[in-house]
């Protein structure tokens, strides 16, 4: 950042008092990024053919001039008429491709992979000689090494928010105000998709201003804090009388038994109610609100489930969690939210605490209030979804329902945190208005924000800005906040430095950041920073120890969750329909759907925790289950909403592994029915590492409920696609694979029959698909891509384990490298993947071992990395 930029920023700041700037303040080295276009991805097949054709012509040129002298003329002669300036068949234009460019690297990587595997040219085309194949492979390898660039990439919105929380000490989710990130192969860590845009830069400036506005140094804490202790009170309304004086109100419902707290009574879906509070917002409707709760579960009778607390602030759902604390050992919850992004009512900022019943349960001696289907049994026995009892006359301790006891509430509507946070245990001078103190605080801030030591020359620029702001009349706190924001707008905060940086100190701290952002989704902690300062983060033993430490920490959820969700695309909608639940179905769908997704995330997490072999991604004898999933799968004796490892029954035909999980199969449905095309394509892409290309634009969708299609079997319907030459290449591979999952219904549960047709109903405002007409046995016969045939889901899984483990593990390693290093593996990365697989094959490709190998790879650590064992 130049001094002129600093001065401009400071003047804008002084004009608005709160830190506001209009442009980034440092060079972000965007030239080091690679740009990936959809056009280039779609050109892969054509480039492969052209490359091979040129080699078949007997080329003998050197690597440097091969494209110019041999390949370009072939493009000109053979392809320009269909893929040139005047005509772009299939939206592909080839006449503008020039040599081996950086943005072509991923295409040449895939060409290299196809050639190495002997998959090109096709069997019915002229083949390459061994010398020709070796020549072109070496040419690609040479060109990729020649254009190899650093691994700088921008933080995505998740990481940006985590870095702000780490620097400020606040727990605000700043990502809510950030624009969405582009993705590479489904992942939001791909450098090529994390490009700066005018809108995103403007949002970063706004969010960083908010972040620094949330901290203070010498300014006093806010005096407006609304508190209420409710554990030992006779009349709760009197406790809230002081709130009224300050303009706050509390809409209270229910009892407040002494020694228990204020009861939040359970509500069933469709009912409203809870404890509501209206708080006057800060002037200008901006700032951070801090909410602190002390709560406990109250379950008067046997069979009553744990309550679930919903926290809503400003019209937004902030949290939803199971409450397991007891009155003697309650849970302490803290929330910090940015008021700027919330809806403020005319009477104030609304906060609502409520509990909903969303799991089936039974209490002996009480009937079910819902009589809509009296003759149909509810799964799990006489499960009571809404017990009949007089809510007014029945004491809380005799009610067949779960309550939440609110023991204490504290609301600070204009929270500004003291900085540095006490939890940092910073050994420094007492904060005072002096240049020395400002310099010490600024050094601490920069090192925290930049995730590395700061040099005097780097800090000097910001000290000069601070001095200028003080001369303009800003206070100690105002000037420091302005300078702190300018640090956050620098490239060193917003970008991850490459681990092969020429400066060994920067390189070591870059490794620490890359490792921490991969496995914790956040900046490195003290231990990683100390190891980086000691230069130990290329030691294989140290790296393995750190991978274990980070993965064993609960914060590793910030790795497992986004990785699994993006790898398997499980963020897609889930559809639930159950004939015998009918109306009750939609009362529990939210919790069940959340549990279905969570099963997959927690399953992979458990595999990593126990270092399970990769085959168990496909087949095992266990899964993760809670009370809601247990009812869905037909298991008894499981209570509580927390997922835990459960051994499957021997007669559970689904078996273990992610492929038989309800969340996976339910999301792969379409038009009210499980759909073999979607399921087959998903399996090719995410399990077998053989993604199909996008469908031709001119091919219409195949809708089973349309006209002549009604009543036809899936196999009859799919003949239409396979008979079309434009579709057959892909559908002959996808469709037979998708039949493996026909035993799973739209809810992801096992079935043995399917209906002639499915009709659309609306219940409680929700869409439901219900089977009607004749039933027939499910058709599960199919074929894997290399021709292996199966008759059942069980046979399919065994064939995958026996013949496709290398495909699945290779794809998983590619995704881990992309997620961790920010780039799709190039030729060198693919060579490392093959070496990792050879080293881990005997042990069954155990998941934690694979992660350790990726972290120790050159793709992750940069040049000079450790060679795989």
């Amino acid at each position: 950042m130049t001094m002129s930029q600093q001065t401009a920023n400071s003047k804008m700041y002084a004009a608005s008092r709160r830190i506001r700037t209009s442009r980034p303040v440092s060079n972000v080295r965007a030239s080091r990024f690679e740009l990936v276009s959809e056009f280039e991805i779609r050109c892969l097949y054509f480039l492969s053919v052209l490359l091979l054709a040129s080699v078949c012509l007997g080329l003998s040129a050197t690597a440097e001039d091969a494209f110019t002298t041999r390949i370009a003329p072939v493009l000109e002669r053979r392809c320009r008429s269909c893929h040139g300036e005047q005509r772009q068949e299939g939206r592909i234009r080839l006449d503008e491709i020039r040599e081996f460019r950086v943005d072509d690297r991923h295409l040449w990587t895939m060409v290299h992979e196809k050639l190495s595997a002997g998959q090109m040219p096709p069997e019915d085309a002229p083949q390459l000689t061994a010398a020709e194949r070796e020549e072109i492979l070496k040419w690609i390898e040479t060109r990729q090494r020649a254009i190899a660039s650093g691994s700088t990439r921008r933080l995505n919105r998740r990481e940006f928010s985590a870095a702000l929380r780490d620097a400020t000490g606040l727990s605000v989710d700043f990502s809510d105000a950030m624009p969405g990130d582009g993705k590479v192969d489904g992942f939001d860590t791909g450098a090529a998709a994390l490009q700066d845009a005018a809108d995103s830069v403007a949002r970063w400036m706004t969010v960083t201003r908010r972040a620094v506005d949330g901290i203070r140094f010498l300014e006093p804490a806010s005096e407006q804090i609304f508190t209420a202790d409710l554990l030992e009170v006779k009349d709760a309304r009197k406790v809230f009388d002081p709130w009224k004086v300050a303009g706050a109100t509390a809409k209270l419902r229910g009892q407040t038994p002494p020694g228990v707290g204020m009861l939040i009574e359970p509500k069933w879906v469709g009912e409203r109610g809870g404890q509501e509070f209206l708080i006057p917002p800060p002037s200008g409707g901006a700032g951070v609100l801090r909410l602190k709760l002390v709560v406990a579960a109250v379950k008067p009778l046997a069979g009553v489930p744990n309550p679930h607390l919903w926290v809503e602030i400003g019209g937004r759902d902030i949290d939803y969690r199971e409450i397991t604390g007891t009155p003697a050992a309650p849970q302490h919850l803290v929330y910090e939210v940015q008021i700027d992004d919330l809806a403020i009512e005319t009477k104030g900022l609304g906060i609502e605490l409520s509990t909903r019943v969303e799991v089936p349960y039974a209490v002996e001696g009480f009937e079910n209030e819902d009589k809509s289907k009296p003759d149909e049994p509810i799964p799990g026995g006489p499960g009571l979804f809404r017990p009949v009892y007089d809510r007014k006359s029945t004491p809380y301790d005799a009610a067949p329902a779960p309550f939440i006891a609110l023991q204490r509430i504290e609301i600070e509507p204009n929270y500004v945190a003291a900085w540095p946070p006490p939890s940092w245990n910073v050994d420094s001078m007492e904060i005072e208005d002096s240049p020395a103190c400002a310099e010490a605080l600024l050094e601490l801030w920069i090192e925290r924000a930049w995730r590395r030591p700061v040099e005097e020359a780097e800090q000097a620029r910001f000290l000069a800005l601070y001095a200028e702001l003080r001369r303009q009349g800003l206070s100690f706190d105002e000037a420091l906040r302005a300078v702190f924001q300018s640090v956050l707008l620098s490239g060193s905060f917003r970008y991850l430095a490459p681990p092969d940086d020429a400066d060994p100190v920067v390189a070591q701290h870059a490794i620490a950041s890359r490792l921490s952002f991969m496995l914790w989704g956040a900046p490195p902690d003290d231990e990683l920073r100390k190891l980086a300062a000691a230069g130990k983060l290329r030691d294989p033993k140290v790296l393995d120890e750190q991978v274990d430490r980070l993965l064993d920490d609960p914060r590793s959820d910030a790795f497992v969750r986004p990785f699994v969700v993006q790898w398997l695309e499980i963020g897609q909608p889930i559809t639930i329909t159950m004939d015998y639940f009918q109306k009750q179905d939609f009362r529990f769908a939210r919790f069940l759907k959340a549990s279905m997704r969570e099963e997959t995330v927690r399953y992979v997490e458990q595999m990593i925790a126990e270092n399970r072999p990769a085959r168990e991604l496909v087949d095992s004898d266990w899964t993760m289950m809670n009370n809601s999933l247990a009812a869905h799968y037909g298991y008894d004796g499981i209570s509580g909403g927390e997922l835990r490892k459960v051994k499957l029954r021997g007669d559970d035909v689904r078996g273990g592994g992610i492929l038989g999980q309800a969340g996976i199969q339910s999301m792969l449905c379409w038009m009210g029915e499980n759909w073999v095309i979607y399921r087959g394509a998903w399996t090719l892409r995410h399990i077998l590492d053989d993604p199909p290309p996008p469908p031709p634009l001119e091919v219409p969708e195949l809708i089973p409920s349309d006209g002549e299609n009604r009543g036809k079997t899936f196999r009859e319907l799919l003949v239409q696609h396979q008979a079309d030459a434009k579709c057959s290449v892909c559908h002959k591979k996808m469709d037979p694979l998708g039949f493996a999952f026909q035993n799973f219904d739209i809810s992801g549960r096992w079935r043995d029959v399917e209906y002639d047709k499915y009709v659309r109903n609306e219940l409680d405002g929700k869409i439901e698909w219900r089977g009607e007409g004749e039933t027939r046995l499910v058709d599960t016969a199919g074929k894997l891509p290399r021709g292996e045939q199966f008759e059942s889901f069980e046979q399919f899984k065994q064939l995958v384990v026996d013949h496709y483990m290398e495909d699945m593990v290779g794809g998983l390693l590619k995704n881990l490298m992309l997620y961790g290093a920010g780039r799709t593996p190039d030729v060198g990365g693919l060579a490392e993947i093959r070496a990792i697989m050879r080293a881990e094959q005997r042990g069954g490709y155990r998941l934690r071992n694979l992660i350790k190998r990726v972290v120790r790879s050159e793709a992750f650590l940069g040049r000079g990395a450790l060679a795989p064992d």
Side-chain angles (χ1 to χ4, degrees):
M1 180 176 67
T2 65
M3 286 304 299
S4 61
Q5 289 174 312
Q6 293 174 350
T7 302
N9 285 339
S10 67
K11 288 181 178 179
M12 283 185 283
Y13 173 87
S16 62
R17 187 177 183 276
R18 289 298 187 181
I19 308 159
R20 301 178 188 274
T21 57
S22 67
R23 63 179 182 271
V25 295
S26 67
N27 185 348
V28 297
R29 294 182 291 179
S31 62
R32 302 185 70 176
F33 281 77
E34 296 176 2
L35 307 178
V36 178
S37 67
E38 178 185 358
F39 158 73
E40 291 166 331
I41 294 173
R42 292 188 174 214
C43 286
L44 169 63
Y45 172 77
F46 297 93
L47 284 173
S48 302
V49 172
L50 292 167
L51 175 62
L52 295 172
S54 64
V55 174
C56 289
L57 293 176
L59 301 180
S60 59
T62 65
E64 289 72 16
D65 63 7
F67 185 91
T68 302
T69 59
R70 301 296 186 183
I71 297 177
V74 175
L75 291 173
E76 176 71 21
R77 292 196 306 270
R78 302 290 181 88
C79 304
R80 186 167 183 172
S81 61
C82 292
H83 303 288
E85 181 180 358
Q86 301 300 321
R87 179 184 178 189
Q88 294 90 44
E89 188 73 24
R91 298 188 296 175
I92 296 171
R93 183 171 179 176
L94 302 177
D95 61 315
E96 294 183 338
I97 294 179
R98 298 291 183 270
E99 236 285 334
F100 195 111
R101 300 176 303 178
V102 170
D103 48 353
D104 288 333
R105 186 169 74 171
H106 65 292
L107 296 175
W108 296 113
T109 296
M110 288 186 279
V111 170
H112 189 284
E113 193 173 15
K114 296 290 186 182
L115 286 172
S116 299
Q119 297 175 359
M120 295 292 289
E123 293 181 359
D124 56 353
Q127 298 298 301
L128 300 173
T129 67
E132 290 167 339
R133 187 182 302 275
E134 184 67 18
E135 177 185 4
I136 193 59
L137 291 175
K138 286 185 176 181
W139 180 80
I140 295 175
E141 293 166 7
T142 300
R143 299 306 301 146
Q144 287 211 341
R145 283 195 297 270
I147 55 91
S149 58
S151 302
T152 300
R153 75 163 175 86
R154 175 174 64 78
L155 298 176
N156 61 32
R157 63 196 297 241
R158 290 183 296 105
E159 297 163 337
F160 187 79
S161 177
L164 284 178
R165 291 195 299 271
D166 182 75
T168 62
L170 297 168
S171 60
V172 175
D173 184 0
F174 295 101
S175 66
D176 288 341
M178 297 295 293
D181 295 310
K183 295 186 177 182
V184 174
D185 293 341
F187 289 97
D188 62 3
T189 56
L194 295 174
Q195 301 299 314
D196 287 336
D199 178 62
S200 61
V201 172
R203 294 306 300 170
W204 295 335
M205 295 168 67
T206 298
V207 172
T208 53
R209 173 183 54 80
R210 293 177 180 178
V212 297
D213 276 354
I215 60 177
R216 59 185 173 84
F217 311 97
L218 291 176
E219 292 176 351
S222 171
E223 296 181 357
Q224 189 179 48
I225 302 178
F226 300 93
T227 62
D229 289 300
L230 303 163
L231 190 58
E232 298 290 349
V233 297
K234 292 183 179 180
D235 187 348
R237 287 170 175 78
K238 291 184 178 180
V239 177
F240 292 96
D241 284 343
W243 291 33
K244 298 178 182 178
V245 179
T249 58
K251 299 179 180 180
L252 309 179
R253 302 176 178 89
Q255 311 168 59
T256 309
V260 177
M262 178 182 290
L263 295 179
I264 304 176
E265 297 183 350
K267 302 296 180 181
W268 278 257
V269 175
E271 295 181 339
R272 294 187 58 82
Q275 306 297 359
E276 296 181 63
F277 309 93
L278 288 168
I279 306 298
S283 176
V288 174
L289 178 141
R290 191 182 203 191
L291 171 65
K292 299 174 72 174
L293 305 173
V294 180
V295 295
V298 177
K299 301 186 296 179
L301 303 178
V304 173
N306 290 323
H308 285 77
L309 173 67
W310 287 79
V311 179
E312 181 183 293
I313 304 177
R316 291 179 51 191
D317 288 332
I318 302 300
D319 192 20
Y320 168 62
R321 69 172 65 209
E322 183 180 29
I323 301 301
T324 58
T326 64
Q331 291 173 247
H332 294 253
L333 308 175
V334 180
Y335 305 97
E336 293 173 5
V337 295
Q338 195 75 43
I339 296 176
D340 311 59
D341 300 322
L342 303 177
I344 300 177
E345 304 174 32
T346 55
K347 295 183 179 180
L349 181 63
I351 299 174
E352 181 174 333
L353 309 177
S354 59
T355 178
R356 301 282 190 269
V357 179
E358 295 188 280
V359 293
Y361 71 98
V363 177
E364 186 176 355
F366 292 87
E367 296 181 357
N368 182 11
E369 185 179 81
D370 194 330
K371 304 292 185 181
S372 61
K373 299 286 287 185
D375 300 327
E376 291 192 11
I378 296 171
L384 300 175
F385 300 100
R386 188 168 178 169
V388 176
Y389 72 101
D390 190 325
R391 302 189 190 187
K392 293 184 178 180
S393 62
T394 304
Y396 82 94
D397 54 1
F403 298 85
I404 291 177
L406 177 61
Q407 296 185 359
R408 177 180 170 82
I409 182 171
E410 178 181 304
I411 305 171
E412 189 171 352
N414 191 21
Y415 176 69
V416 184
W419 198 92
S423 61
W424 290 7
N425 297 318
V426 176
D427 184 15
S428 62
M429 70 182 74
E430 181 179 350
I431 296 180
E432 60 182 8
D433 188 350
S434 69
C437 183
E439 182 176 356
L441 291 174
L442 181 57
E443 181 180 7
L444 177 62
W445 175 266
I446 297 176
E447 290 192 351
R448 194 86 183 190
W450 287 4
R451 304 173 290 277
R452 63 169 175 82
V454 57
E455 297 179 359
E456 288 186 10
E458 293 175 312
Q459 186 175 352
R461 298 177 300 162
F462 297 104
L463 285 172
L465 174 59
Y466 169 79
E468 173 63 23
L469 294 175
R470 293 306 304 271
R471 284 194 294 270
Q472 294 184 13
L474 274 67
S475 70
F476 180 83
D477 280 53
E478 291 172 334
L480 272 183
R481 281 197 286 257
V483 178
F484 277 22
Q485 188 193 10
S486 69
V487 172
L488 296 178
L489 291 173
S490 67
S492 295
F493 173 74
R494 295 191 295 117
Y495 287 80
L496 290 173
D500 55 357
D501 194 280
D503 185 334
V505 174
V506 174
Q508 279 284 313
H509 285 275
I511 294 172
S513 289
R514 177 170 283 192
L515 180 59
S516 185
F517 274 109
M518 177 184 180
L519 299 184
W520 277 0
D525 64 355
D526 288 340
E527 183 168 336
L528 276 174
R529 287 195 290 267
K530 289 177 181 177
L531 289 170
K536 294 183 177 180
L537 288 182
R538 287 188 182 274
D539 184 317
K541 182 179 179 181
V542 171
L543 285 172
D544 285 354
E545 289 173 349
Q546 289 305 303
V547 169
D548 282 332
R549 182 178 71 87
L550 270 60
L551 288 176
D552 289 341
D553 191 285
R555 284 172 284 185
S556 63
D557 178 75
F559 157 60
V560 178
R561 183 174 304 280
F563 177 77
V564 172
V565 168
Q566 295 177 94
W567 167 36
L568 301 175
E569 288 189 296
I570 61 174
Q572 302 177 62
I574 288 177
T575 305
I576 301 293
T577 181
M578 306 177 193
D579 289 346
Y580 39 72
F581 266 18
Q582 290 219 348
K583 184 177 179 181
Q584 294 96 324
D585 165 41
F586 299 110
R587 296 187 175 184
F588 314 107
R590 289 178 299 180
F591 181 50
L592 177 56
K593 288 180 181 181
S595 299
M596 289 162 69
R597 286 195 180 94
E598 195 72 0
E599 178 185 10
T600 304
V601 173
R602 294 302 174 202
Y603 186 89
V604 176
E605 178 185 65
Q606 192 72 18
M607 286 193 63
I608 294 173
E610 297 182 0
N611 203 16
R612 309 296 299 179
R615 72 181 304 278
E616 293 190 13
L617 287 169
V618 176
D619 189 31
S620 73
D621 62 355
W622 61 278
T623 194
M624 305 297 288
M625 205 178 292
N626 63 5
N627 52 358
S628 184
L629 287 172
H632 194 58
Y633 292 141
Y635 279 73
D636 298 321
I638 296 177
S639 60
E642 181 182 357
L643 278 87
R644 79 295 310 257
K645 188 176 182 180
V646 173
K647 186 176 177 62
L648 298 173
R649 296 191 308 259
D651 63 350
D652 190 335
V653 288
R654 297 176 306 116
I658 60 177
L659 296 177
Q661 292 173 355
I664 295 289
Q665 295 305 330
S666 180
M667 77 174 185
L668 298 175
C669 298
W670 181 66
M671 297 297 290
E673 179 51 274
N674 49 339
W675 193 224
V676 295
I677 296 176
Y678 286 9
R679 286 170 165 171
W682 181 89
T683 305
L684 282 172
R685 181 177 298 109
H686 300 291
I687 304 300
L688 304 183
D689 191 34
D690 188 12
L697 295 177
E698 64 272 19
V699 176
E701 287 188 285
L702 182 60
I703 303 177
S705 59
D706 278 1
E708 298 178 355
N709 293 336
R710 290 196 176 204
K712 290 184 179 179
T713 66
F714 284 108
R715 204 170 294 277
E716 291 171 335
L717 288 172
L718 294 174
V719 167
Q720 298 174 218
H721 269 188
Q722 295 179 12
D724 190 325
K726 297 176 182 178
C727 306
S728 62
V729 173
C730 295
H731 280 274
K732 286 183 178 179
K733 183 185 292 186
M734 289 189 299
D735 300 350
L737 187 61
F739 278 97
F741 309 105
Q742 283 295 84
N743 281 117
F744 294 95
D745 68 13
I746 196 170
S747 301
R749 298 186 312 158
W750 191 267
R751 66 175 185 176
D752 292 311
V753 297
E754 59 186 5
Y755 289 91
D756 274 341
K757 64 178 181 178
Y758 291 81
V759 296
R760 180 182 184 275
N761 293 328
E762 284 196 26
L763 284 174
D764 296 350
K766 306 287 185 178
I767 297 175
E768 178 195 44
W769 291 90
R770 187 183 303 281
E772 288 188 356
E774 298 293 327
T775 61
R776 53 179 175 256
L777 290 177
V778 172
D779 181 1
T780 58
K783 184 172 63 174
L784 281 153
R786 291 195 282 269
E788 302 91 344
Q789 297 187 354
F790 56 83
E791 298 293 331
S792 66
F793 179 63
E794 182 180 12
Q795 290 179 9
F796 161 77
K797 291 204 300 182
Q798 189 59 51
L799 287 171
V800 172
V801 169
D802 291 342
H803 302 287
Y804 289 83
M805 288 306 298
E806 289 188 3
D807 303 82
M808 185 179 74
V809 174
L812 176 59
L813 285 168
K814 291 177 188 176
N815 290 325
L816 284 170
M817 279 193 175
L818 168 58
Y819 187 87
R823 297 184 185 277
T824 52
D826 59 12
V827 171
L830 293 175
E832 287 193 288
I833 286 175
R834 291 191 290 271
I836 291 172
M837 292 176 65
R838 288 193 298 270
E840 292 296 326
Q841 182 178 21
R842 180 172 296 180
Y845 308 114
R846 295 183 178 273
L847 260 60
R848 184 172 291 213
N849 290 355
L850 296 180
I851 295 171
K852 289 179 179 178
R853 296 272 184 178
V854 167
V855 167
R856 291 164 54 185
S857 70
E858 182 174 338
F860 188 88
L861 296 176
R863 295 173 185 173
L866 307 165
D869 293 346

